[in-house]
């Protein structure tokens, strides 16, 4: 199913052209990227960000407590209708959910594990370096000192190990024309997440928006 979603993302994002060909943010705690593609009656959402936005560590879970934390994250991320709220009159239903991470064994994702375990983004990250440089990155806006005050535990990693997670969602809407925005419910569920860099692509064009807890409605 992830391959199907990836192909949909790929075709729509290629259609968007150079205007949307910005690279995703480097691995930066507190920041995630969100890609939304609209085609026909389908609404596809891709969420990508550091594991530290969602759990307290970024290495492969080894203890029962860490595995329980992953299970809690999966349960929260699986509540697609609450995390991405479309207008009720559009009557959108979740068709597919898939998760993948290089640090989390697929078995811990259960029914939501991406088939084959591939991290198929379906969109081009260009020269995006997943070597995760926390140095002087430029998102086109000023984060100041960018201290999100995360109290997560790296489990002795000393900042040397980083992990990401990708989540893919597909919705089918009875009246897609009624969907002109989504209320993003991620911030109250995941307090370590402070910013989402969102991109929207449809046959009508493309747009980009920065979301925060104070301004969490994605509009197009």
């Amino acid at each position: 199913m992830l391959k199907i979603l990836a192909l949909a993302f790929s075709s729509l994002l290629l259609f968007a052209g150079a205007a949307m060909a910005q690279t995703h943010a480097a691995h930066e705690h507190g920041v995630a990227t969100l890609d939304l593609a609209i085609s026909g009656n389908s609404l596809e959402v891709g969420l990508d960000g550091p594991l530290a936005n969602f759990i307290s560590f970024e290495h492969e879970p080894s203890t029962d407590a860490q595995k329980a934390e992953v299970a809690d994250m999966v349960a929260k991320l699986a509540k697609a209708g609450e995390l991405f709220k479309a207008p009720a009159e559009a009557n959108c239903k979740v068709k597919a959910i898939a998760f993948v991470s290089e640090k989390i064994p697929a078995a811990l994702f259960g029914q939501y594990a991406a088939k084959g375990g591939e991290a198929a983004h379906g969109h081009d990250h260009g020269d995006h370096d997943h070597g995760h440089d926390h140095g002087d990155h430029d998102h086109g806006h000023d984060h100041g000192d960018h201290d999100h005050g995360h109290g997560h535990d790296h489990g002795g990693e000393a900042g040397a190990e980083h992990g990401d997670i990708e989540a893919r969602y597909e919705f089918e809407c009875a009246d897609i024309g009624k969907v002109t925005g989504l209320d993003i419910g991620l911030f109250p569920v995941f307090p370590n997440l402070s910013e989402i860099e969102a991109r929207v692509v449809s046959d009508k064009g493309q747009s980009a928006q920065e979301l925060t807890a104070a301004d969490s409605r994605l509009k197009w």
Side-chain angles (χ1 to χ4, degrees), residues 39-188:
S39 177
N41 289 325
S42 293
L43 181 68
E44 285 132 6
V45 178
L47 179 68
D48 187 355
L51 278 167
N53 294 344
F54 308 102
I55 53 178
S56 66
F57 56 92
E58 292 195 328
H59 53 79
E60 184 169 342
S62 58
T63 67
D64 288 343
Q66 290 171 348
K67 291 175 182 178
E69 194 173 345
V70 170
D72 182 63
M73 173 188 69
V74 170
K76 290 175 178 176
L77 284 174
K79 295 180 179 179
E82 297 178 16
L83 300 180
F84 310 102
K85 299 176 184 177
E89 57 268 27
N91 193 21
C92 296
K93 305 295 184 184
V94 181
K95 288 188 64 180
I97 300 174
F99 304 142
V100 66
S101 172
E102 72 274 25
K103 299 296 184 183
I104 307 297
L108 295 183
F109 289 133
Q111 63 180 308
Y112 304 113
K115 299 300 182 275
E118 76 258 45
H121 292 270
H123 48 267
D124 182 15
H125 285 283
D127 294 327
H128 176 46
D129 178 15
H130 277 289
H132 308 318
D133 178 15
H134 283 279
D136 295 327
H137 51 272
D138 180 11
H139 295 299
H141 47 269
D142 182 13
H143 290 290
D145 293 332
H146 221 342
D147 178 14
H148 294 293
H150 304 308
H152 51 265
D153 175 22
H154 286 278
E157 294 167 292
E161 187 174 1
H162 300 292
D164 297 299
I165 183 171
E166 295 177 57
R168 295 290 178 264
Y169 304 86
E170 182 182 6
F171 299 83
E172 186 169 296
C173 303
D175 191 349
I176 198 72
K178 296 288 179 62
V179 186
T180 58
L182 289 179
D183 289 317
I184 307 301
L186 288 159
F187 295 106

